[in-house]
Amino acid sequence: MTTATELTGDYVLDPAHTRIGFVARHAMVTKVRGAFHEFEGTAHLDGADPAGSTAQVVIKTESIDTGVEQRDQHLRTNDFLDAPNFPDITYRTTRVEQKSDSEYRVTGDLTVKDTTKPVTIDFEYTGNAVDPFGNLRVGLEGSVTISRKEFGVEWNTALEGGGVLVSDKIVLEFDISAIKQGQQGQ
C-alpha cells in the first residue's frame, strides 16, 4: 500500500490511458458521446494535505471526436468550439477539498473559447499502482454538468415538435491515469 507521503509529487496525464469525454443530448431523445484525443495535463499531488494539490489541463479543440466526421467538423466551427481561433480548452485548479478517503472536490477555472468560469468537479480516487515499468500511477474519475451557453457555445436549431437539436447541458467526463515524475521507471 502506497502511503500519502509516497503519493506526494508531480504527475503527468498518461494520454494512452486517460479519457476526457463529454455527453450531450441530441434531438431531445438520445445521447451523443465524444472525447478529445489530444491533451496535456500536469498535477502536483499533496498526499498529506490535499488542499495543497494543483492541476492544469490543456485540451486541443481540433481533436474532438464523436465518431461522425461531419458532426466533428461542425463542432470545430464557430457554431461550437471555433477551433481555428480557440485551439485550446483549459482548466486550472484554484482549490482542492477532500470530502472522504476517496472523494475530492476540485474547483478551477475552465476556459472555453474566450470565456472563463469557475467549475467544480467531484472526483473519486480509484487507487494507485506501480506499472510493469516501475512507474507509480494514480487513478481518478469525475464528471460535471455545465451549460455550454455560459461559455459562448450557443448554436442550436428548433425542432418541429418542440425542443432543440442540441442540449444546453453537457456532461464532462474524466477518467484519469497520471504517472508520478522523477522515479525509477522514467
Side-chain angles (χ1 to χ4, degrees), residues 50-99:
S53 299
T54 60
Q56 72 172 21
V57 177
V58 177
I59 302 165
K60 297 296 181 187
T61 54
E62 186 70 28
S63 73
I64 195 165
D65 181 6
T66 64
V68 177
E69 186 57 32
Q70 183 178 4
R71 177 173 46 223
D72 297 344
Q73 289 299 331
H74 188 202
L75 291 172
R76 292 177 185 120
T77 70
N78 188 43
D79 285 346
F80 290 93
L81 297 176
D82 195 4
N85 292 309
F86 300 100
D88 299 329
I89 295 171
T90 62
Y91 184 77
R92 288 179 175 77
T93 60
T94 56
R95 185 174 70 230
V96 176
E97 302 170 77
Q98 185 169 4
K99 304 308 263 179

mmCIF file of all heavy atoms in Angstrom, residues 50-99:
data_model
loop_
_atom_site.group_PDB
_atom_site.id
_atom_site.type_symbol
_atom_site.label_atom_id
_atom_site.label_comp_id
_atom_site.label_asym_id
_atom_site.label_seq_id
_atom_site.Cartn_x
_atom_site.Cartn_y
_atom_site.Cartn_z
ATOM 1 N N PRO A 50 -4.260 17.477 0.914
ATOM 2 C CA PRO A 50 -4.822 17.590 -0.436
ATOM 3 C C PRO A 50 -5.123 19.031 -0.868
ATOM 4 O O PRO A 50 -5.096 19.325 -2.056
ATOM 5 C CB PRO A 50 -6.095 16.754 -0.366
ATOM 6 C CG PRO A 50 -5.781 15.726 0.677
ATOM 7 C CD PRO A 50 -4.972 16.467 1.713
ATOM 8 N N ALA A 51 -5.363 19.926 0.082
ATOM 9 C CA ALA A 51 -5.618 21.326 -0.277
ATOM 10 C C ALA A 51 -4.405 21.950 -0.956
ATOM 11 O O ALA A 51 -4.534 22.939 -1.679
ATOM 12 C CB ALA A 51 -6.008 22.134 0.959
ATOM 13 N N GLY A 52 -3.234 21.373 -0.774
ATOM 14 C CA GLY A 52 -2.024 21.859 -1.421
ATOM 15 C C GLY A 52 -1.811 21.290 -2.810
ATOM 16 O O GLY A 52 -0.795 21.569 -3.442
ATOM 17 N N SER A 53 -2.750 20.506 -3.292
ATOM 18 C CA SER A 53 -2.657 19.910 -4.629
ATOM 19 C C SER A 53 -3.103 20.909 -5.696
ATOM 20 O O SER A 53 -3.962 21.762 -5.442
ATOM 21 C CB SER A 53 -3.522 18.652 -4.714
ATOM 22 O OG SER A 53 -3.086 17.687 -3.793
ATOM 23 N N THR A 54 -2.519 20.794 -6.885
ATOM 24 C CA THR A 54 -2.880 21.648 -8.016
ATOM 25 C C THR A 54 -2.880 20.813 -9.291
ATOM 26 O O THR A 54 -2.255 19.759 -9.344
ATOM 27 C CB THR A 54 -1.877 22.809 -8.196
ATOM 28 O OG1 THR A 54 -0.580 22.258 -8.426
ATOM 29 C CG2 THR A 54 -1.855 23.721 -6.984
ATOM 30 N N ALA A 55 -3.568 21.310 -10.311
ATOM 31 C CA ALA A 55 -3.573 20.618 -11.603
ATOM 32 C C ALA A 55 -3.922 21.600 -12.705
ATOM 33 O O ALA A 55 -4.577 22.621 -12.460
ATOM 34 C CB ALA A 55 -4.580 19.470 -11.596
ATOM 35 N N GLN A 56 -3.485 21.261 -13.897
ATOM 36 C CA GLN A 56 -3.897 22.013 -15.075
ATOM 37 C C GLN A 56 -3.967 21.058 -16.259
ATOM 38 O O GLN A 56 -3.185 20.113 -16.354
ATOM 39 C CB GLN A 56 -2.987 23.186 -15.366
ATOM 40 C CG GLN A 56 -1.623 22.839 -15.894
ATOM 41 C CD GLN A 56 -0.878 24.100 -16.320
ATOM 42 O OE1 GLN A 56 -1.177 25.211 -15.894
ATOM 43 N NE2 GLN A 56 0.097 23.922 -17.185
ATOM 44 N N VAL A 57 -4.932 21.330 -17.141
ATOM 45 C CA VAL A 57 -5.133 20.516 -18.333
ATOM 46 C C VAL A 57 -5.332 21.451 -19.520
ATOM 47 O O VAL A 57 -6.041 22.459 -19.409
ATOM 48 C CB VAL A 57 -6.369 19.592 -18.180
ATOM 49 C CG1 VAL A 57 -6.621 18.811 -19.448
ATOM 50 C CG2 VAL A 57 -6.212 18.669 -16.996
ATOM 51 N N VAL A 58 -4.716 21.113 -20.636
ATOM 52 C CA VAL A 58 -4.912 21.838 -21.895
ATOM 53 C C VAL A 58 -5.407 20.819 -22.912
ATOM 54 O O VAL A 58 -4.737 19.825 -23.191
ATOM 55 C CB VAL A 58 -3.604 22.500 -22.379
ATOM 56 C CG1 VAL A 58 -3.832 23.189 -23.719
ATOM 57 C CG2 VAL A 58 -3.071 23.476 -21.341
ATOM 58 N N ILE A 59 -6.592 21.074 -23.454
ATOM 59 C CA ILE A 59 -7.247 20.173 -24.406
ATOM 60 C C ILE A 59 -7.243 20.838 -25.777
ATOM 61 O O ILE A 59 -7.623 22.009 -25.905
ATOM 62 C CB ILE A 59 -8.705 19.898 -23.971
ATOM 63 C CG1 ILE A 59 -8.748 19.287 -22.575
ATOM 64 C CG2 ILE A 59 -9.415 19.025 -24.994
ATOM 65 C CD1 ILE A 59 -10.130 19.317 -21.943
ATOM 66 N N LYS A 60 -6.848 20.113 -26.794
ATOM 67 C CA LYS A 60 -6.849 20.621 -28.167
ATOM 68 C C LYS A 60 -8.257 20.454 -28.754
ATOM 69 O O LYS A 60 -8.739 19.325 -28.924
ATOM 70 C CB LYS A 60 -5.817 19.891 -29.032
ATOM 71 C CG LYS A 60 -4.391 20.094 -28.552
ATOM 72 C CD LYS A 60 -3.999 21.541 -28.653
ATOM 73 C CE LYS A 60 -2.588 21.809 -28.210
ATOM 74 N NZ LYS A 60 -2.290 23.245 -28.156
ATOM 75 N N THR A 61 -8.928 21.579 -29.062
ATOM 76 C CA THR A 61 -10.303 21.513 -29.568
ATOM 77 C C THR A 61 -10.399 20.776 -30.898
ATOM 78 O O THR A 61 -11.395 20.113 -31.174
ATOM 79 C CB THR A 61 -10.902 22.928 -29.709
ATOM 80 O OG1 THR A 61 -10.044 23.728 -30.513
ATOM 81 C CG2 THR A 61 -11.097 23.577 -28.361
ATOM 82 N N GLU A 62 -9.367 20.860 -31.706
ATOM 83 C CA GLU A 62 -9.360 20.191 -33.011
ATOM 84 C C GLU A 62 -9.481 18.672 -32.870
ATOM 85 O O GLU A 62 -9.899 17.987 -33.798
ATOM 86 C CB GLU A 62 -8.075 20.558 -33.762
ATOM 87 C CG GLU A 62 -8.011 20.056 -35.171
ATOM 88 C CD GLU A 62 -8.974 20.763 -36.125
ATOM 89 O OE1 GLU A 62 -9.314 21.929 -35.902
ATOM 90 O OE2 GLU A 62 -9.381 20.112 -37.107
ATOM 91 N N SER A 63 -9.137 18.141 -31.694
ATOM 92 C CA SER A 63 -9.116 16.688 -31.507
ATOM 93 C C SER A 63 -10.467 16.099 -31.107
ATOM 94 O O SER A 63 -10.557 14.909 -30.801
ATOM 95 C CB SER A 63 -8.063 16.308 -30.461
ATOM 96 O OG SER A 63 -8.487 16.662 -29.157
ATOM 97 N N ILE A 64 -11.521 16.906 -31.153
ATOM 98 C CA ILE A 64 -12.854 16.411 -30.773
ATOM 99 C C ILE A 64 -13.276 15.271 -31.699
ATOM 100 O O ILE A 64 -13.026 15.300 -32.907
ATOM 101 C CB ILE A 64 -13.898 17.549 -30.784
ATOM 102 C CG1 ILE A 64 -15.163 17.101 -30.047
ATOM 103 C CG2 ILE A 64 -14.194 18.031 -32.184
ATOM 104 C CD1 ILE A 64 -16.090 18.252 -29.706
ATOM 105 N N ASP A 65 -13.885 14.235 -31.125
ATOM 106 C CA ASP A 65 -14.254 13.048 -31.894
ATOM 107 C C ASP A 65 -15.532 12.450 -31.323
ATOM 108 O O ASP A 65 -15.568 12.025 -30.185
ATOM 109 C CB ASP A 65 -13.125 12.023 -31.834
ATOM 110 C CG ASP A 65 -13.401 10.767 -32.628
ATOM 111 O OD1 ASP A 65 -14.425 10.691 -33.341
ATOM 112 O OD2 ASP A 65 -12.591 9.832 -32.530
ATOM 113 N N THR A 66 -16.581 12.429 -32.159
ATOM 114 C CA THR A 66 -17.838 11.790 -31.771
ATOM 115 C C THR A 66 -18.091 10.529 -32.583
ATOM 116 O O THR A 66 -19.134 9.896 -32.436
ATOM 117 C CB THR A 66 -19.035 12.749 -31.970
ATOM 118 O OG1 THR A 66 -19.154 13.045 -33.370
ATOM 119 C CG2 THR A 66 -18.871 14.021 -31.157
ATOM 120 N N GLY A 67 -17.155 10.212 -33.468
ATOM 121 C CA GLY A 67 -17.333 9.042 -34.319
ATOM 122 C C GLY A 67 -18.043 9.346 -35.629
ATOM 123 O O GLY A 67 -18.226 8.456 -36.458
ATOM 124 N N VAL A 68 -18.448 10.605 -35.820
ATOM 125 C CA VAL A 68 -19.112 11.018 -37.064
ATOM 126 C C VAL A 68 -18.367 12.249 -37.571
ATOM 127 O O VAL A 68 -18.487 13.338 -36.993
ATOM 128 C CB VAL A 68 -20.605 11.335 -36.835
ATOM 129 C CG1 VAL A 68 -21.262 11.840 -38.116
ATOM 130 C CG2 VAL A 68 -21.334 10.116 -36.280
ATOM 131 N N GLU A 69 -17.600 12.091 -38.646
ATOM 132 C CA GLU A 69 -16.725 13.164 -39.123
ATOM 133 C C GLU A 69 -17.484 14.439 -39.473
ATOM 134 O O GLU A 69 -17.032 15.543 -39.158
ATOM 135 C CB GLU A 69 -15.898 12.692 -40.321
ATOM 136 C CG GLU A 69 -14.866 13.704 -40.785
ATOM 137 C CD GLU A 69 -13.859 14.144 -39.710
ATOM 138 O OE1 GLU A 69 -13.517 13.334 -38.823
ATOM 139 O OE2 GLU A 69 -13.416 15.297 -39.750
ATOM 140 N N GLN A 70 -18.647 14.330 -40.094
ATOM 141 C CA GLN A 70 -19.419 15.526 -40.451
ATOM 142 C C GLN A 70 -19.810 16.305 -39.191
ATOM 143 O O GLN A 70 -19.700 17.530 -39.154
ATOM 144 C CB GLN A 70 -20.656 15.131 -41.255
ATOM 145 C CG GLN A 70 -21.465 16.326 -41.718
ATOM 146 C CD GLN A 70 -22.679 15.921 -42.551
ATOM 147 O OE1 GLN A 70 -22.966 14.744 -42.721
ATOM 148 N NE2 GLN A 70 -23.381 16.903 -43.064
ATOM 149 N N ARG A 71 -20.241 15.613 -38.160
ATOM 150 C CA ARG A 71 -20.596 16.271 -36.898
ATOM 151 C C ARG A 71 -19.345 16.889 -36.262
ATOM 152 O O ARG A 71 -19.377 18.019 -35.780
ATOM 153 C CB ARG A 71 -21.260 15.285 -35.941
ATOM 154 C CG ARG A 71 -21.582 15.912 -34.596
ATOM 155 C CD ARG A 71 -22.396 15.011 -33.683
ATOM 156 N NE ARG A 71 -21.882 13.664 -33.628
ATOM 157 C CZ ARG A 71 -22.653 12.573 -33.659
ATOM 158 N NH1 ARG A 71 -23.964 12.669 -33.755
ATOM 159 N NH2 ARG A 71 -22.110 11.376 -33.586
ATOM 160 N N ASP A 72 -18.233 16.150 -36.275
ATOM 161 C CA ASP A 72 -16.994 16.654 -35.680
ATOM 162 C C ASP A 72 -16.547 17.938 -36.375
ATOM 163 O O ASP A 72 -16.124 18.893 -35.713
ATOM 164 C CB ASP A 72 -15.886 15.607 -35.752
ATOM 165 C CG ASP A 72 -16.217 14.360 -34.941
ATOM 166 O OD1 ASP A 72 -17.145 14.410 -34.098
ATOM 167 O OD2 ASP A 72 -15.542 13.336 -35.160
ATOM 168 N N GLN A 73 -16.650 17.976 -37.703
ATOM 169 C CA GLN A 73 -16.279 19.183 -38.441
ATOM 170 C C GLN A 73 -17.158 20.358 -38.017
ATOM 171 O O GLN A 73 -16.666 21.475 -37.852
ATOM 172 C CB GLN A 73 -16.381 18.953 -39.953
ATOM 173 C CG GLN A 73 -15.307 18.045 -40.510
ATOM 174 C CD GLN A 73 -13.899 18.599 -40.303
ATOM 175 O OE1 GLN A 73 -13.670 19.806 -40.249
ATOM 176 N NE2 GLN A 73 -12.939 17.704 -40.152
ATOM 177 N N HIS A 74 -18.461 20.108 -37.813
ATOM 178 C CA HIS A 74 -19.365 21.177 -37.377
ATOM 179 C C HIS A 74 -18.989 21.645 -35.967
ATOM 180 O O HIS A 74 -18.988 22.844 -35.686
ATOM 181 C CB HIS A 74 -20.817 20.706 -37.432
ATOM 182 C CG HIS A 74 -21.798 21.807 -37.193
ATOM 183 N ND1 HIS A 74 -23.071 21.580 -36.758
ATOM 184 C CD2 HIS A 74 -21.684 23.164 -37.304
ATOM 185 C CE1 HIS A 74 -23.707 22.734 -36.625
ATOM 186 N NE2 HIS A 74 -22.892 23.712 -36.943
ATOM 187 N N LEU A 75 -18.649 20.721 -35.093
ATOM 188 C CA LEU A 75 -18.277 21.086 -33.719
ATOM 189 C C LEU A 75 -17.002 21.938 -33.687
ATOM 190 O O LEU A 75 -16.800 22.715 -32.746
ATOM 191 C CB LEU A 75 -18.090 19.831 -32.864
ATOM 192 C CG LEU A 75 -19.357 19.043 -32.569
ATOM 193 C CD1 LEU A 75 -19.027 17.726 -31.884
ATOM 194 C CD2 LEU A 75 -20.330 19.863 -31.727
ATOM 195 N N ARG A 76 -16.150 21.804 -34.695
ATOM 196 C CA ARG A 76 -14.906 22.583 -34.759
ATOM 197 C C ARG A 76 -15.126 24.008 -35.283
ATOM 198 O O ARG A 76 -14.239 24.850 -35.179
ATOM 199 C CB ARG A 76 -13.884 21.860 -35.640
ATOM 200 C CG ARG A 76 -13.387 20.571 -35.026
ATOM 201 C CD ARG A 76 -12.426 19.834 -35.952
ATOM 202 N NE ARG A 76 -12.076 18.555 -35.384
ATOM 203 C CZ ARG A 76 -12.305 17.376 -35.973
ATOM 204 N NH1 ARG A 76 -12.846 17.332 -37.193
ATOM 205 N NH2 ARG A 76 -11.975 16.258 -35.375
ATOM 206 N N THR A 77 -16.303 24.287 -35.843
ATOM 207 C CA THR A 77 -16.582 25.613 -36.411
ATOM 208 C C THR A 77 -16.971 26.600 -35.312
ATOM 209 O O THR A 77 -17.159 26.235 -34.146
ATOM 210 C CB THR A 77 -17.730 25.557 -37.440
ATOM 211 O OG1 THR A 77 -18.963 25.300 -36.755
ATOM 212 C CG2 THR A 77 -17.473 24.507 -38.516
ATOM 213 N N ASN A 78 -17.164 27.867 -35.731
ATOM 214 C CA ASN A 78 -17.560 28.914 -34.798
ATOM 215 C C ASN A 78 -18.935 28.647 -34.181
ATOM 216 O O ASN A 78 -19.253 29.194 -33.127
ATOM 217 C CB ASN A 78 -17.537 30.282 -35.489
ATOM 218 C CG ASN A 78 -17.762 31.408 -34.503
ATOM 219 O OD1 ASN A 78 -17.208 31.411 -33.416
ATOM 220 N ND2 ASN A 78 -18.595 32.360 -34.888
ATOM 221 N N ASP A 79 -19.771 27.808 -34.796
ATOM 222 C CA ASP A 79 -21.059 27.460 -34.186
ATOM 223 C C ASP A 79 -20.865 26.844 -32.804
ATOM 224 O O ASP A 79 -21.720 26.984 -31.929
ATOM 225 C CB ASP A 79 -21.833 26.456 -35.059
ATOM 226 C CG ASP A 79 -22.444 27.092 -36.297
ATOM 227 O OD1 ASP A 79 -22.510 28.335 -36.367
ATOM 228 O OD2 ASP A 79 -22.850 26.324 -37.186
ATOM 229 N N PHE A 80 -19.741 26.142 -32.637
ATOM 230 C CA PHE A 80 -19.477 25.468 -31.360
ATOM 231 C C PHE A 80 -18.126 25.910 -30.782
ATOM 232 O O PHE A 80 -18.054 26.895 -30.072
ATOM 233 C CB PHE A 80 -19.553 23.945 -31.531
ATOM 234 C CG PHE A 80 -20.958 23.464 -31.775
ATOM 235 C CD1 PHE A 80 -21.435 23.294 -33.077
ATOM 236 C CD2 PHE A 80 -21.808 23.199 -30.718
ATOM 237 C CE1 PHE A 80 -22.733 22.862 -33.301
ATOM 238 C CE2 PHE A 80 -23.117 22.779 -30.935
ATOM 239 C CZ PHE A 80 -23.578 22.614 -32.225
ATOM 240 N N LEU A 81 -17.043 25.194 -31.062
ATOM 241 C CA LEU A 81 -15.764 25.433 -30.380
ATOM 242 C C LEU A 81 -14.834 26.411 -31.083
ATOM 243 O O LEU A 81 -13.883 26.893 -30.474
ATOM 244 C CB LEU A 81 -15.039 24.102 -30.169
ATOM 245 C CG LEU A 81 -15.769 23.119 -29.257
ATOM 246 C CD1 LEU A 81 -15.020 21.800 -29.203
ATOM 247 C CD2 LEU A 81 -15.942 23.703 -27.865
ATOM 248 N N ASP A 82 -15.072 26.704 -32.359
ATOM 249 C CA ASP A 82 -14.240 27.632 -33.127
ATOM 250 C C ASP A 82 -12.757 27.282 -32.981
ATOM 251 O O ASP A 82 -11.927 28.095 -32.569
ATOM 252 C CB ASP A 82 -14.506 29.074 -32.684
ATOM 253 C CG ASP A 82 -13.947 30.098 -33.668
ATOM 254 O OD1 ASP A 82 -13.422 29.692 -34.735
ATOM 255 O OD2 ASP A 82 -14.024 31.299 -33.357
ATOM 256 N N ALA A 83 -12.435 26.044 -33.336
ATOM 257 C CA ALA A 83 -11.071 25.524 -33.174
ATOM 258 C C ALA A 83 -9.992 26.374 -33.853
ATOM 259 O O ALA A 83 -8.914 26.542 -33.271
ATOM 260 C CB ALA A 83 -10.998 24.075 -33.658
ATOM 261 N N PRO A 84 -10.238 26.953 -35.041
ATOM 262 C CA PRO A 84 -9.169 27.756 -35.641
ATOM 263 C C PRO A 84 -8.772 28.967 -34.789
ATOM 264 O O PRO A 84 -7.610 29.339 -34.737
ATOM 265 C CB PRO A 84 -9.765 28.207 -36.985
ATOM 266 C CG PRO A 84 -10.786 27.159 -37.304
ATOM 267 C CD PRO A 84 -11.370 26.771 -35.964
ATOM 268 N N ASN A 85 -9.724 29.588 -34.130
ATOM 269 C CA ASN A 85 -9.448 30.777 -33.319
ATOM 270 C C ASN A 85 -9.207 30.472 -31.849
ATOM 271 O O ASN A 85 -8.599 31.282 -31.140
ATOM 272 C CB ASN A 85 -10.579 31.787 -33.458
ATOM 273 C CG ASN A 85 -10.631 32.364 -34.850
ATOM 274 O OD1 ASN A 85 -9.627 32.829 -35.370
ATOM 275 N ND2 ASN A 85 -11.796 32.299 -35.474
ATOM 276 N N PHE A 86 -9.704 29.342 -31.376
ATOM 277 C CA PHE A 86 -9.552 28.953 -29.970
ATOM 278 C C PHE A 86 -9.083 27.494 -29.927
ATOM 279 O O PHE A 86 -9.884 26.584 -29.710
ATOM 280 C CB PHE A 86 -10.861 29.128 -29.208
ATOM 281 C CG PHE A 86 -11.352 30.546 -29.226
ATOM 282 C CD1 PHE A 86 -12.346 30.950 -30.106
ATOM 283 C CD2 PHE A 86 -10.789 31.497 -28.389
ATOM 284 C CE1 PHE A 86 -12.784 32.264 -30.136
ATOM 285 C CE2 PHE A 86 -11.218 32.816 -28.410
ATOM 286 C CZ PHE A 86 -12.214 33.205 -29.292
ATOM 287 N N PRO A 87 -7.790 27.265 -30.175
ATOM 288 C CA PRO A 87 -7.293 25.896 -30.292
ATOM 289 C C PRO A 87 -7.259 25.112 -28.987
ATOM 290 O O PRO A 87 -7.144 23.891 -29.017
ATOM 291 C CB PRO A 87 -5.880 26.087 -30.845
ATOM 292 C CG PRO A 87 -5.484 27.462 -30.417
ATOM 293 C CD PRO A 87 -6.754 28.264 -30.403
ATOM 294 N N ASP A 88 -7.407 25.800 -27.847
ATOM 295 C CA ASP A 88 -7.301 25.116 -26.555
ATOM 296 C C ASP A 88 -8.501 25.376 -25.664
ATOM 297 O O ASP A 88 -9.047 26.483 -25.640
ATOM 298 C CB ASP A 88 -6.058 25.593 -25.787
ATOM 299 C CG ASP A 88 -4.763 25.315 -26.519
ATOM 300 O OD1 ASP A 88 -4.689 24.314 -27.255
ATOM 301 O OD2 ASP A 88 -3.823 26.116 -26.355
ATOM 302 N N ILE A 89 -8.877 24.355 -24.923
ATOM 303 C CA ILE A 89 -9.759 24.470 -23.765
ATOM 304 C C ILE A 89 -8.838 24.231 -22.576
ATOM 305 O O ILE A 89 -8.043 23.291 -22.589
ATOM 306 C CB ILE A 89 -10.871 23.405 -23.794
ATOM 307 C CG1 ILE A 89 -11.795 23.633 -24.986
ATOM 308 C CG2 ILE A 89 -11.647 23.390 -22.484
ATOM 309 C CD1 ILE A 89 -12.788 22.498 -25.223
ATOM 310 N N THR A 90 -8.920 25.084 -21.555
ATOM 311 C CA THR A 90 -8.024 24.917 -20.407
ATOM 312 C C THR A 90 -8.810 24.805 -19.104
ATOM 313 O O THR A 90 -9.928 25.321 -18.983
ATOM 314 C CB THR A 90 -7.028 26.082 -20.278
ATOM 315 O OG1 THR A 90 -7.750 27.299 -20.059
ATOM 316 C CG2 THR A 90 -6.172 26.207 -21.530
ATOM 317 N N TYR A 91 -8.194 24.116 -18.154
ATOM 318 C CA TYR A 91 -8.739 24.024 -16.789
ATOM 319 C C TYR A 91 -7.565 24.113 -15.829
ATOM 320 O O TYR A 91 -6.595 23.356 -15.972
ATOM 321 C CB TYR A 91 -9.494 22.697 -16.597
ATOM 322 C CG TYR A 91 -10.156 22.587 -15.243
ATOM 323 C CD1 TYR A 91 -11.338 23.265 -14.975
ATOM 324 C CD2 TYR A 91 -9.615 21.800 -14.235
ATOM 325 C CE1 TYR A 91 -11.962 23.168 -13.747
ATOM 326 C CE2 TYR A 91 -10.233 21.696 -13.003
ATOM 327 C CZ TYR A 91 -11.405 22.381 -12.763
ATOM 328 O OH TYR A 91 -12.024 22.287 -11.531
ATOM 329 N N ARG A 92 -7.646 25.052 -14.889
ATOM 330 C CA ARG A 92 -6.598 25.241 -13.886
ATOM 331 C C ARG A 92 -7.248 25.283 -12.515
ATOM 332 O O ARG A 92 -8.148 26.099 -12.277
ATOM 333 C CB ARG A 92 -5.837 26.531 -14.144
ATOM 334 C CG ARG A 92 -4.944 26.450 -15.361
ATOM 335 C CD ARG A 92 -4.203 27.768 -15.626
ATOM 336 N NE ARG A 92 -3.257 27.636 -16.719
ATOM 337 C CZ ARG A 92 -3.588 27.620 -18.003
ATOM 338 N NH1 ARG A 92 -4.836 27.698 -18.361
ATOM 339 N NH2 ARG A 92 -2.652 27.496 -18.938
ATOM 340 N N THR A 93 -6.776 24.442 -11.625
ATOM 341 C CA THR A 93 -7.384 24.366 -10.299
ATOM 342 C C THR A 93 -7.138 25.641 -9.502
ATOM 343 O O THR A 93 -6.109 26.295 -9.639
ATOM 344 C CB THR A 93 -6.854 23.171 -9.487
ATOM 345 O OG1 THR A 93 -5.443 23.308 -9.342
ATOM 346 C CG2 THR A 93 -7.195 21.861 -10.144
ATOM 347 N N THR A 94 -8.115 25.945 -8.658
ATOM 348 C CA THR A 94 -7.986 27.037 -7.702
ATOM 349 C C THR A 94 -8.174 26.538 -6.269
ATOM 350 O O THR A 94 -7.784 27.217 -5.329
ATOM 351 C CB THR A 94 -9.018 28.151 -7.991
ATOM 352 O OG1 THR A 94 -10.332 27.582 -7.984
ATOM 353 C CG2 THR A 94 -8.746 28.803 -9.345
ATOM 354 N N ARG A 95 -8.770 25.348 -6.117
ATOM 355 C CA ARG A 95 -8.996 24.802 -4.780
ATOM 356 C C ARG A 95 -9.249 23.291 -4.879
ATOM 357 O O ARG A 95 -9.924 22.826 -5.793
ATOM 358 C CB ARG A 95 -10.210 25.475 -4.128
ATOM 359 C CG ARG A 95 -10.441 25.036 -2.683
ATOM 360 C CD ARG A 95 -11.551 25.817 -2.013
ATOM 361 N NE ARG A 95 -12.847 25.448 -2.582
ATOM 362 C CZ ARG A 95 -13.754 26.319 -3.010
ATOM 363 N NH1 ARG A 95 -13.538 27.598 -2.958
ATOM 364 N NH2 ARG A 95 -14.901 25.892 -3.501
ATOM 365 N N VAL A 96 -8.705 22.547 -3.915
ATOM 366 C CA VAL A 96 -8.950 21.113 -3.803
ATOM 367 C C VAL A 96 -9.406 20.838 -2.379
ATOM 368 O O VAL A 96 -8.757 21.239 -1.419
ATOM 369 C CB VAL A 96 -7.679 20.293 -4.124
ATOM 370 C CG1 VAL A 96 -7.930 18.805 -3.911
ATOM 371 C CG2 VAL A 96 -7.211 20.552 -5.558
ATOM 372 N N GLU A 97 -10.544 20.151 -2.257
ATOM 373 C CA GLU A 97 -11.082 19.789 -0.945
ATOM 374 C C GLU A 97 -11.234 18.274 -0.858
ATOM 375 O O GLU A 97 -11.766 17.660 -1.780
ATOM 376 C CB GLU A 97 -12.470 20.397 -0.738
ATOM 377 C CG GLU A 97 -12.537 21.895 -0.848
ATOM 378 C CD GLU A 97 -13.992 22.338 -0.868
ATOM 379 O OE1 GLU A 97 -14.615 22.360 0.206
ATOM 380 O OE2 GLU A 97 -14.489 22.626 -1.971
ATOM 381 N N GLN A 98 -10.805 17.690 0.242
ATOM 382 C CA GLN A 98 -11.005 16.265 0.454
ATOM 383 C C GLN A 98 -12.343 16.084 1.153
ATOM 384 O O GLN A 98 -12.591 16.650 2.214
ATOM 385 C CB GLN A 98 -9.876 15.681 1.306
ATOM 386 C CG GLN A 98 -9.989 14.185 1.446
ATOM 387 C CD GLN A 98 -8.750 13.556 2.064
ATOM 388 O OE1 GLN A 98 -7.825 14.248 2.469
ATOM 389 N NE2 GLN A 98 -8.749 12.248 2.117
ATOM 390 N N LYS A 99 -13.234 15.273 0.538
ATOM 391 C CA LYS A 99 -14.564 15.038 1.094
ATOM 392 C C LYS A 99 -14.626 13.744 1.905
ATOM 393 O O LYS A 99 -15.409 13.629 2.827
ATOM 394 C CB LYS A 99 -15.609 15.002 -0.023
ATOM 395 C CG LYS A 99 -15.628 16.243 -0.897
ATOM 396 C CD LYS A 99 -15.725 17.511 -0.115
ATOM 397 C CE LYS A 99 -17.135 18.006 -0.018
ATOM 398 N NZ LYS A 99 -17.271 19.236 0.755
#
